[in-house]
Amino acid sequence: SGTDEHGLKIQQAAATAGTSPPELCQRVSGLFRQALSQAAVSFTDFTRTSEPRHQRAVRHFWGALRDGGALYKGSYEGWYCTPEECFLPESQLAERRDAQGRPCKVSLESGHQVHWTKEENYMFRLSAFRDPLRKWLRDNPHAISPDPFYQRVLRWLEEDLPDLSVSRERSRLQWGIPVPSDSTQTIYVWVDALVNYLSVVGYPETHGEWWPAAHHVVGKDILKFHAVYWPALLMAAGLAPPERIFVHSHWTVRGQKMSKSLGNVIDPFACIGQYTVDGFRYFLLRQGVPERDCDYYDEKVVKLVNSELADALGGLLNRSTALSINPSNTYPCFSESCFPKILDDRGTKAVGRASAEDYEFVASVASLPLQVASYFEGFQIYKALECVALCVRQTNSFFQRHRPWKLNRQDPAEKLWLDTIIHVTLECLRVYGTLLQPVIPHTADKLLSRLAVEPEERGLSSLTFLPRYNGKPCPFEGRQLGPDTGILFHRLEKSRQHQIETEKL
């Protein structure tokens, strides 16, 4: 992770704030680091494009472009959008009026105003890479996903691909890396920023250990930079494009795009305070569908998180570990006679107490780890969580269906069945806790600690569900449960703001 810090908009923002660009970047990058840390997002490196190691990599990359004949000096003019740091064609502009009522042109995508700009720059021969880019995408149909974004890039490559202006006059833009051997020009911010993917893995010396096995995660608004310009620049510098580019859409708020002017920008720090880190992470990952914009509002977060984390998952843990149900506070034994393995292909089972519904449910939980791993790998985290939530509901139904609280622990036959119901339920919870660790780390840790699952027993590779059903030993059987961790996830209250809005209605 990290911050892309150079460019005209940073230079202008610093001037408006009465500070210098380095001071502004120091403060803002600190806020991003703090947000990631508070949201329990880990990173191996936090790169800043103003760092010396990055600037050195950019200068080397520029040299590779120049030596490969991909750059030339030319005059460029067009409509420039400073917030987006790019020139826009007429087809991506609209006529509007500015704050003073004067006619002006704005970007169709963002609504930001554009200004006619004419200057002498270094140009990158992007037009020469149209066919290589098309071949790369045809040979690698999963290079960009989800598929709608892959198709969008293919359509862009059907259109003209004009050469790209890759520097700015230094007199206009001082906050950036000077062009090597031409101090009158500054390297275009996007060329500079994209190279961070290389500088962070040791370019130009040791990047070969990682590159090109890189997976980028990018917003849909910067798709062209990552899926057209960046692969072309890499090819021109003698490097392969990244292995995968995962693209995500945006969050709207009550159906409207987030914008400072509308005052509907969501503050992540406030959300973490209101919903907890795990609650906020769970909502975003459970509801965020990469290929389309998703809508955010308070009641939606509260309803989803309460129903799936507090009630379904938390309720299941509390019920199955209650002293009234499990007075010995242990991971009870599984009885093959109560829950025998299906013996033949016709679906006939030995006589036991488990129903056909129970066998279906156990099969769906057994297939869950591979299913979740596959969805995680494919960047479809919402689908993985949908599968987990469905299995949690099925486990609650299983527990409810057999009413263990009605069984008599003094009767040996009843005790076998009671222990088996609890064993199956705890095994399910162990699977859910393990699979949910990347999404709700604190809650998953609390759940697994309650089940006495040791840190070294929490990996995906060693996750075997219900081994006793398959005649194998279960390392947890008979183990004393961990101390009572209390309520797994406290129910959320609706925000005060929402209550005020509701009262107004």
Side-chain angles (χ1 to χ4, degrees):
S1 190
T3 43
D4 150 24
E5 300 187 0
H6 291 132
L8 192 57
K9 68 177 172 187
I10 305 291
Q11 184 175 299
Q12 290 178 350
T16 304
T19 185
S20 69
E23 285 168 334
L24 177 73
C25 292
Q26 180 72 25
R27 184 176 64 79
V28 175
S29 71
L31 286 172
F32 275 99
R33 280 195 85 127
Q34 189 190 343
L36 291 173
S37 165
Q38 278 197 239
V41 175
S42 57
F43 44 84
T44 48
D45 201 315
F46 189 96
T47 185
R48 296 180 57 192
T49 61
S50 55
E51 292 171 339
R53 61 169 176 168
H54 173 74
Q55 299 192 29
R56 184 174 152 267
V58 172
R59 286 192 291 270
H60 190 279
F61 190 81
W62 182 275
L65 293 176
R66 182 193 58 220
D67 296 347
L71 303 178
Y72 64 93
K73 210 162 187 184
S75 183
Y76 195 88
E77 59 182 307
W79 294 102
Y80 192 72
C81 179
T82 301
E84 293 175 43
E85 295 282 15
C86 65
F87 283 97
L88 294 170
E90 286 281 354
S91 59
Q92 288 176 30
L93 302 176
E95 296 281 350
R96 294 278 188 277
R97 291 197 175 272
D98 65 15
Q100 283 73 43
R102 295 176 302 225
C104 66
K105 286 186 184 285
V106 300
S107 161
L108 265 177
E109 172 75 21
S110 66
H112 292 128
Q113 197 168 341
V114 297
H115 300 279
W116 188 259
T117 305
K118 182 177 182 179
E119 57 184 38
E120 192 177 37
N121 299 146
Y122 284 93
M123 306 293 292
F124 169 62
R125 298 184 196 279
L126 182 62
S127 53
F129 290 90
R130 191 168 143 192
D131 287 339
L133 286 170
R134 283 156 80 173
K135 184 180 186 315
W136 164 60
L137 288 177
R138 278 198 302 270
D139 293 348
N140 299 279
H142 300 295
I144 300 165
S145 61
D147 188 63
F149 298 111
Y150 173 80
Q151 299 299 337
R152 186 181 300 179
V153 176
L154 282 178
R155 285 196 298 275
W156 282 335
L157 295 175
E158 293 300 317
E159 300 164 9
D160 280 341
L161 209 57
D163 287 351
L164 184 66
S165 166
V166 287
S167 71
R168 299 285 174 266
E169 285 180 358
R170 191 98 188 139
S171 58
R172 247 172 28 92
L173 175 61
Q174 297 84 45
W175 179 236
I177 302 170
V179 167
S181 69
D182 187 346
S183 59
T184 68
Q185 296 278 313
T186 300
I187 295 174
Y188 174 41
V189 62
W190 270 103
V191 174
D192 162 358
L194 288 161
V195 174
N196 93 85
Y197 296 119
L198 288 173
S199 60
V200 82
V201 291
Y203 180 83
E205 289 89 17
T206 56
H207 61 284
E209 293 173 30
W210 278 95
W211 200 267
H215 291 196
H216 298 340
V217 180
V218 306
K220 66 175 186 178
D221 53 324
I222 50 175
L223 177 59
K224 186 172 274 185
F225 298 97
H226 282 83
V228 177
Y229 302 163
W230 178 225
L233 287 162
L234 285 164
M235 290 172 184
L239 294 164
E243 195 172 286
R244 297 287 295 273
I245 300 170
F246 290 119
V247 189
H248 63 78
S249 298
H250 294 165
W251 284 97
T252 56
V253 178
R254 297 190 185 276
Q256 286 186 300
K257 192 172 180 176
M258 273 192 228
S259 85
K260 287 178 185 167
S261 56
L262 285 173
N264 66 347
V265 174
I266 300 297
D267 177 355
F269 293 108
C271 291
I272 288 167
Q274 193 178 329
Y275 308 126
T276 75
V277 174
D278 281 9
F280 191 43
R281 285 168 63 107
Y282 185 79
F283 173 79
L284 294 176
L285 291 167
R286 172 81 167 90
Q287 293 281 295
V289 180
E291 54 263 49
R292 65 173 183 271
D293 288 353
C294 296
D295 203 34
Y296 174 96
Y297 50 92
D298 180 70
E299 310 92 274
K300 195 176 182 179
V301 185
V302 171
K303 188 176 175 185
L304 177 91
V305 172
N306 280 347
S307 106
E308 294 191 357
L309 290 187
D311 300 345
L313 190 65
L316 186 64
L317 179 68
N318 284 347
R319 294 166 83 195
S320 58
T321 56
L323 281 176
S324 55
I325 288 273
N326 184 1
S328 63
N329 195 41
T330 56
Y331 214 100
C333 296
F334 177 88
S335 163
E336 285 100 332
S337 62
C338 292
F339 209 132
K341 194 168 169 63
I342 294 175
L343 296 177
D344 62 28
D345 297 334
R346 296 193 304 276
T348 310
K349 64 179 178 67
V351 178
R353 297 191 63 163
S355 66
E357 213 171 344
D358 297 336
Y359 284 94
E360 282 172 29
F361 144 65
V362 163
S364 65
V365 179
S367 66
L368 189 64
L370 272 179
Q371 210 173 17
V372 165
S374 169
Y375 282 137
F376 276 176
E377 284 291 326
F379 198 54
Q380 293 180 302
I381 299 165
Y382 72 104
K383 284 192 178 177
L385 297 183
E386 209 172 274
C387 294
V388 173
L390 176 64
C391 284
V392 172
R393 284 199 298 275
Q394 286 181 315
T395 316
N396 271 301
S397 299
F398 164 78
F399 197 82
Q400 189 67 30
R401 188 162 57 243
H402 295 299
R403 299 169 174 255
W405 57 91
K406 295 274 191 189
L407 297 172
N408 179 7
R409 190 166 277 284
Q410 308 312 314
D411 178 332
E414 296 251 302
K415 183 180 183 302
L416 279 181
W417 180 225
L418 172 59
D419 284 351
T420 301
I421 293 166
I422 297 170
H423 180 96
V424 170
T425 306
L426 297 189
E427 276 289 279
C428 290
L429 282 165
R430 182 172 67 84
V431 168
Y432 308 147
T434 305
L435 296 177
L436 289 170
Q437 287 174 109
V439 179
I440 46 171
H442 305 99
T443 307
D445 174 58
K446 204 172 169 184
L447 192 161
L448 294 170
S449 297
R450 179 71 174 110
L451 299 181
V453 181
E454 298 296 335
E456 66 275 10
E457 298 172 317
R458 298 180 180 188
L460 188 60
S461 55
S462 57
L463 182 57
T464 310
F465 169 64
L466 213 56
R468 293 280 272 114
Y469 177 71
N470 294 301
K472 294 177 181 145
C474 173
F476 304 97
E477 206 168 53
R479 190 182 288 190
Q480 195 70 28
L481 292 180
D484 186 352
T485 45
I487 293 169
L488 181 68
F489 193 94
H490 287 271
R491 285 179 64 81
L492 299 175
E493 299 296 326
K494 285 183 179 145
S495 75
R496 180 73 192 125
Q497 183 56 40
H498 170 62
Q499 288 170 353
I500 291 164
E501 287 171 9
T502 309
E503 284 160 16
K504 282 180 188 169
L505 293 173

